[in-house]
Amino acid sequence: MPDGKSNSRREAMMAVALGLAGASSAQAADNWTPKKERTGGPLRSGHLLFLGGIGGWYPRRRPDGPGDVQQQTADCLTLMKESLERAGSSMANVLKVQVSLVDPVNNWGPMTETYNTFFPDPRPARNYFGATGFRRPGQLLQIDCIAYVD
């Protein structure tokens, strides 16, 4: 921009990013990229694992049908647990969970009842949003998480 504001904002944002990343020079800003690696499941960056898009129902895993929201929650969180353990973490190290839920008015209570059996206290921060449906008819939820790993 001709007024120089764009460069000032960009420089300020880079300074924040560098401070968070522990970098000490503007030259490092030009070469900085997030550190990411695949772990055979979650994406790892430093001591964090990012696991997204775990569906509540996969026909090849349970061909008898989608089941109810409690069955789908248990299936989803079992997949999450297995994936986190393969990556060296656990459900106790989950920091944040996001739930996409079809018909939350009717499904929130039963989903939460099953959800609570998978996480020890203190449970992770959790948010949710209602969904009208998913690509796979019959799927009632999808869950993402961020977990800590040593």
Side-chain angles (χ1 to χ4, degrees):
M1 299 242 156
D3 63 4
K5 289 183 181 177
S6 178
N7 285 339
S8 298
R9 281 188 214 133
R10 186 176 297 119
E11 289 169 2
M13 292 303 292
M14 289 307 293
V16 169
L18 290 170
L20 292 173
S24 61
S25 73
Q27 187 176 28
D30 294 334
N31 299 323
W32 184 82
T33 58
K35 308 296 187 248
K36 299 185 291 186
E37 64 181 89
R38 288 281 172 201
T39 62
L43 182 70
R44 182 176 179 156
S45 182
H47 289 286
L48 296 178
L49 295 172
F50 299 85
L51 187 57
I54 306 169
W57 176 52
Y58 295 97
R60 71 181 176 276
R61 291 180 65 97
R62 196 163 21 84
D64 57 329
D68 64 10
V69 73
Q70 287 186 302
Q71 177 68 55
Q72 289 193 26
T73 302
D75 289 352
C76 183
L77 294 176
T78 297
L79 288 172
M80 177 187 291
K81 180 179 185 291
E82 291 167 355
S83 187
L84 291 171
E85 288 173 354
R86 277 193 310 272
S89 191
S90 70
M91 297 297 269
N93 288 343
V94 174
L95 303 170
K96 183 178 184 305
V97 172
Q98 178 172 283
V99 180
S100 307
L101 186 63
V102 172
D103 191 11
V105 170
N106 292 310
N107 289 330
W108 179 258
M111 182 276 299
T112 296
E113 186 179 315
T114 301
Y115 173 95
N116 286 343
T117 66
F118 279 82
F119 293 101
D121 283 327
R123 290 191 180 90
R126 177 176 64 167
N127 69 316
Y128 87 98
F129 59 90
T132 57
F134 297 96
R135 182 178 54 107
R136 185 176 300 108
Q139 181 177 332
L140 300 174
L141 66 119
Q142 180 173 294
I143 299 180
D144 302 338
C145 78
I146 301 171
Y148 181 83
V149 65
D150 286 323

